[in-house]
Amino acid sequence: MKRYQIVARVIFVGLAICFAAPSQADNWSTVPLGKWAESRSLQYLAPEESTGTWTEKEGILAAVGAGAQWSTRLLPGDQGGGQKVTLKFTVQKSAGTPFSLPGGCSRWSFYWGENQPGWDLGVVLRFKDPLNFYRVQVSATRGQLALWDSTGAFLQIVPCAVTVNEPHTLEITARGAHFQVSLEGKAVLDYWDRTLPHTGGQAGLAVYQSTTSIESFSLEKVKAESAAMPPHKPDFHFVSGAGPVLYDGNEPISYFHQNPRDKTLTHEAVKLKPGWRPTYYTAIGPALSEIGLLPLVGKFPDAFKIEGGGETLTFSFATEKPGVAHTDYTVTVRFDATRGVYRYEYRGKMKVGDQPLVNLSSFEWLDPLCYNNRTAGPEVIHRWNSAGHRWNVYQGVGDAWRRYPIVDFLEAYNNPKMAWGKFKDFLYPDPAACPAFETEIGWEQTKNRGFVISQCTWGYDYHHAEVGDGITLPPGTERALNMTLTALPPDEADKLFAQSQLPDAMAKDATKLIPFDPRGTSFSKTTTWRDPGATMVWGGGVLDETTGHGDRASLRIDGPDKAALHMYQYIIEQNAKRWWVRGWFKTKGLRGRGAELKVKYAYDKKPIEAFYMGGLGDQDWTPFSFITTAPAQRDCTDVIFEADGPGTVWLDDVAFSALKEGENPEVTNFPVPSGFEPNKEVLIDLPMNVKPGKAVYDESRNGHALQLTNVQWEQEKDDRRFISFNGSNSMGRLPLKAVLEPSDSPPGTTGNDTYKPIFPLKRFAYEFWARPHLPARKEEGRGMVFHYRDNPRACFEAFNAKSNTCLFVWQNNLFHGNKISLSLSVPLDQWLHFVITHGDGKVILYVNGKKSGEAEYDASGPGFNFFAYQWEFFFGCYLREAYWYTGDLGPFRLYSKALTSEEVIQRFQKAGP
């Protein structure tokens, strides 16, 4: 032992200016433990929790790891980009965990497996901060060594003969991008980091859930590497296990996962460049509207038929829903030496089964979801390894390059049309490899069908889908599915981005977007579509540059309406248990329930936390301060300011920040006036008796306001009050709330919970007045009064100008079970009163107080389609794009009971439009 310690002292002779003198004659290091600094991983444990203990005794360092993260100590100073570390150690107790790569689709907190369990000891190199460093780590239980990189994940995983209770000498030489590791003088690893290698920083030691003694540690600076980096030679192969995991040499570059619930296949942790971070994961399609993804055929991972390896690897598999459709896939993995990136070439062919695919509205290949691709917000101290993607650049119609900003709340411009045939799109920018998708459509384009790149409103996943008018694919129809997952180098992406233009409609839109700053949004800083300065922006409301709290800017909500934030982990600190929401508000002419703040975890059954703000009538600038626990879910949080009633609310200086333990700011309390309880019998009540601003207020106080676009409110001489649709571009949308009261829990969105009824109603009834006219658009053969997804549908069709009649059609199918459709010939240009009751296995249609049709259904089934969290009713059209209604709409109600025939007659006689 002493021979090794003498060597350590000799090595440090040239470093006397950097390190303190030894604290004792035979110490494990020339730098005593008291001068080493602690560093903490930014994942999992709260700051107050211990990660381990480090003690010096009799010249030996004892390190004991605790908790679910690495415990790290760092040398003082900067040891540079070239060093040789020699370490003598003994693993006395190993963490003892079998090997596995990070699993699951943890979109927001996936940190490339930094704290994947089962490792024992690590040597830290080039540590600039907790998000920029290397670690050479070993496992005695598994006999493995890995080179882990904060921006590249596992760069190498190799066999290494480390055993428990045996002394070992590890030698690491790191010259720039070149890493060499030996154990007992025998080479274990020789690796070149080809992608943005870390160039300098501190060195150190780390332990995980192990007990390890360090007998000697030395560090010597070395000269830069003189040899040129050799060209990359791919060696593709699968390693079986929970994956299977796809490797290039000793570097895992992606793996596959089968969902145990629905048996569908996901391609996860996909690397696009050697040494670069996992970029995205994607479900493997096709995904068919109303059917979903086709499950994998066979037992996983045996379902993969693997051929080749080395420079090119090919594997095949199939997906299928028996009788519906079957798809055969062949996937080839290559290395593009010119670009220095991987290519995952998916080639598939789908065949329709014995029954036709009817009314197929969307047909999707892949749905890539990106890991941590957004710049971290000011509230975040973690600042995950972000790519900083701000744009999706794509080939639009005519192959012209277009760009689409990655900004939250993009509903108005979602689904930009792409070229048909062969085309590409990519995410931009990226410091190493811009994720790119090469798509090929192998069949003829039909009328009113197109291909879109559909960015979800929160800007993480990218649907590649054919959409448009519903089509029918006959049995036996074949469709080729071709898409390549690859990347563009930054210089190539720069040139294409310079050629790109915003879509025409977006380029003409001068709307000012308001970036969200959790430290406080003053609403004085704005951005635009052309030059989006932030990815997180406020949704809803109107920028008011005439008034503010202390300045001339604020956010105005013209009620009934709301303004909201849809915040993801990249913008807010994730470990806090409590959060502080504060700011100022002002009101004018506000009625209804008044102003409210609601905070909720967006995708779970956790309750909404509601804070009443009041402000009825006129109220000058008033501070508000609330504490919430909803964001502790770590994923995404909705913060909603709502004007529940006609009138105006202004917001200013809105801040949202984490609270530390012991911080208890003063909170405000605004009592709720009596008489404002939500109606339990009428869930939606739109009387149309007051001229609306942007929306018709829901007098049931359940918050279902009808948002209007190009809709006129009218009042006739007999005091009938109603809204009028022009049949061309006027519409209404009614977001259907998943809760009746703030304490209720919304449904989940995983598995069958997506279709869990949001109103658990066994009996209910719709009532409305309508006056249809001939369509303003002559080509429009149907006028949609309202619909909720595909059920229910209330529409007029079969228009006959000669007889001045049309057909009223009611459709309300069960999610599983009977299909219900009722129809009746009715006159045009006359007010008609409709009631449709549902209950006890029977649907009854009443027109002008008279029973006009009925249908039966299985009452023991799962119920009607009050499902799909955050869906909405559309009035006057179908999904903003078809079946434009020309006519009028009077009072509209949804009851939580089935009206009796007597009640229907009474409503007809006493509650006219």
Side-chain angles (χ1 to χ4, degrees), residues 3 8 100 172 225 242 280 287 291 303 316 480 513 596 691 713 741 800 803 912:
R3 179 169 59 86
S100 66
I172 304 167
E225 178 64 68
Y280 54 72
I291 296 173
S316 58
L513 310 177
E596 292 183 311
K691 183 177 180 178
W713 181 82
E741 290 186 340
N800 190 319
S803 63

Side-chain angles (χ1 to χ4, degrees), residues 208-422:
Y208 200 72
Q209 295 173 338
S210 71
T211 300
T212 300
S213 65
I214 312 296
E215 287 83 34
S216 67
F217 172 92
S218 67
L219 184 147
E220 176 186 5
K221 291 186 178 180
V222 296
K223 295 181 180 180
E225 178 64 68
S226 59
M229 184 183 298
H232 180 66
K233 294 183 179 180
D235 179 18
F236 298 116
H237 59 278
F238 274 110
V239 174
S240 61
V245 180
L246 179 62
Y247 275 76
D248 177 9
N250 293 316
E251 180 175 1
I253 62 172
S254 61
Y255 67 99
F256 293 82
H257 171 74
Q258 186 178 25
N259 188 317
R261 174 180 49 80
D262 59 14
K263 308 304 180 184
T264 57
L265 183 67
T266 304
H267 190 177
E268 302 190 19
V270 179
K271 284 191 174 186
L272 298 173
K273 186 177 178 67
W276 190 228
R277 64 185 186 88
T279 300
Y280 54 72
Y281 64 94
T282 180
I284 303 302
L288 311 175
S289 59
E290 304 304 317
I291 296 173
L293 289 165
L294 303 185
L296 181 70
V297 175
K299 186 178 180 181
F300 187 77
D302 298 335
F304 280 15
K305 305 298 186 292
I306 302 169
E307 297 180 4
E311 293 188 1
T312 302
L313 182 143
T314 299
F315 61 99
S316 58
F317 59 90
T319 62
E320 180 183 63
K321 280 198 173 181
V324 177
H326 176 98
T327 301
D328 290 307
Y329 279 101
T330 298
V331 184
T332 302
V333 185
R334 309 180 195 273
F335 179 70
D336 182 341
T338 302
R339 291 188 171 100
V341 298
Y342 296 121
R343 291 179 59 83
Y344 304 84
E345 299 170 352
Y346 279 79
R347 302 293 180 262
K349 182 176 288 186
M350 186 196 80
K351 186 174 183 179
V352 179
D354 298 334
Q355 300 296 322
L357 288 175
V358 181
N359 294 326
L360 192 68
S361 60
S362 65
F363 186 95
E364 183 171 357
W365 275 257
L366 299 175
D367 178 16
L369 289 91
C370 289
Y371 297 114
N372 306 325
N373 68 335
R374 311 293 283 276
T375 302
E379 178 66 25
V380 175
I381 63 170
H382 291 204
R383 301 193 181 278
W384 306 103
N385 299 318
S386 62
H389 299 153
R390 292 299 182 94
W391 301 90
N392 182 273
V393 185
Y394 63 97
Q395 287 181 283
V397 177
D399 288 336
W401 285 101
R402 298 281 189 172
R403 65 176 182 267
Y404 188 69
I406 300 175
V407 177
D408 295 276
F409 292 105
L410 268 176
E411 292 98 329
Y413 296 108
N414 210 2
N415 306 327
K417 290 185 178 179
M418 302 180 75
W420 189 277
K422 291 184 179 180

Side-chain angles (χ1 to χ4, degrees), residues 689-711:
N689 57 1
V690 176
K691 183 177 180 178
K694 291 176 57 178
V696 178
Y697 178 56
D698 175 17
E699 296 289 353
S700 77
R701 308 205 192 283
N702 285 302
H704 297 114
L706 177 62
Q707 309 292 320
L708 304 177
T709 302
N710 300 321
V711 175

